[in-house]
Amino acid sequence: MAKRKAKGAQPKKTNGDSPASEAPPPAPAAEAGAKAAVQPQLTVLAQYVKDLSFESPSAPQSLQGPGQNPQLKVGVNVNAAPRGEDAYEVALQLEVHAKSDQGVIYNIELIYGGLFRLRGVPQNLLQPVLFVDCPTILFPFMRRVLADVIRDGGFPPLMLDPIDFGRLYAQNLAQSQGDPRARPTN
């Protein structure tokens, strides 16, 4: 003969129309959601060309060839500034000067900016995020703008090698603290 279970021990059967009377155990996803609220977040709100200048003073002669002894000088700088609650603007400033024995081939000045929202980032990591992580995100887009402008100016596109913003940040930090071993190498 089958034994009868106590009424309280039997799970209530529902057809899905009404909620079960017992509260379900807390879901692991709810606990993970609470932890995610305090985890650092970096969100790209916008990317844009803030300033752009292209000059080719010796065109169309410079379009026929680079001339003797072509030289290319590239300089990169990163700036960051707060823009409201949890929002920061990071701007990559790029200067490219191409010249030869015949004179200037082209000059480009480009400031490519990004607006980022940073939440939950500890204060001691804020500067590295702004000067390393954000520029690393922006760089491929800035490189594409640069290549397009040079190509549209009639020259072969310049494809810059990736920049190690972490190394540059460490060098600038060491230099500002007076470490003679740190020398910027661009």
Side-chain angles (χ1 to χ4, degrees), residues 32-57:
K35 289 180 182 176
V38 296
Q39 288 186 352
Q41 295 178 352
L42 184 147
T43 306
V44 180
L45 300 176
Q47 294 184 50
Y48 45 90
V49 174
K50 191 166 183 170
D51 189 18
L52 175 60
S53 172
F54 176 83
E55 301 170 353
S56 181

Side-chain angles (χ1 to χ4, degrees), residues 104 147-148:
V104 174
D148 288 351

Side-chain angles (χ1 to χ4, degrees), residues 71-122:
Q71 300 168 10
L72 185 67
K73 182 179 176 185
V74 178
V76 178
N77 195 12
V78 179
N79 296 306
R83 295 287 187 243
E85 186 178 332
D86 296 335
Y88 296 87
E89 179 185 40
V90 175
L92 292 176
Q93 184 175 353
L94 178 74
E95 293 184 11
V96 179
H97 303 287
K99 65 179 184 175
S100 70
D101 290 344
Q102 295 174 342
V104 174
I105 300 171
Y106 59 79
N107 290 321
I108 298 176
E109 295 176 11
L110 170 62
I111 299 176
Y112 192 82
L115 191 61
F116 295 88
R117 176 176 293 129
L118 302 176
R119 289 192 174 147
V121 176

Side-chain angles (χ1 to χ4, degrees), residues 98-186:
K99 65 179 184 175
S100 70
D101 290 344
Q102 295 174 342
V104 174
I105 300 171
Y106 59 79
N107 290 321
I108 298 176
E109 295 176 11
L110 170 62
I111 299 176
Y112 192 82
L115 191 61
F116 295 88
R117 176 176 293 129
L118 302 176
R119 289 192 174 147
V121 176
Q123 192 63 33
N124 64 330
L125 295 178
L126 187 59
Q127 243 191 350
V129 169
L130 290 172
F131 288 93
V132 177
D133 296 333
C134 294
T136 301
I137 292 169
L138 294 175
F139 180 76
F141 300 97
M142 182 199 66
R143 179 173 61 182
R144 183 195 50 81
V145 169
L146 177 71
D148 288 351
V149 166
I150 293 173
R151 185 198 65 228
D152 291 347
F155 300 97
L158 174 63
M159 295 303 293
L160 292 178
D161 289 336
I163 296 173
D164 185 352
F165 289 102
R167 181 180 58 83
L168 291 176
Y169 175 75
Q171 285 177 346
N172 287 334
L173 190 63
Q175 188 178 22
S176 69
Q177 294 175 349
D179 186 351
R181 293 176 291 168
R183 291 181 319 193
T185 54
N186 287 355

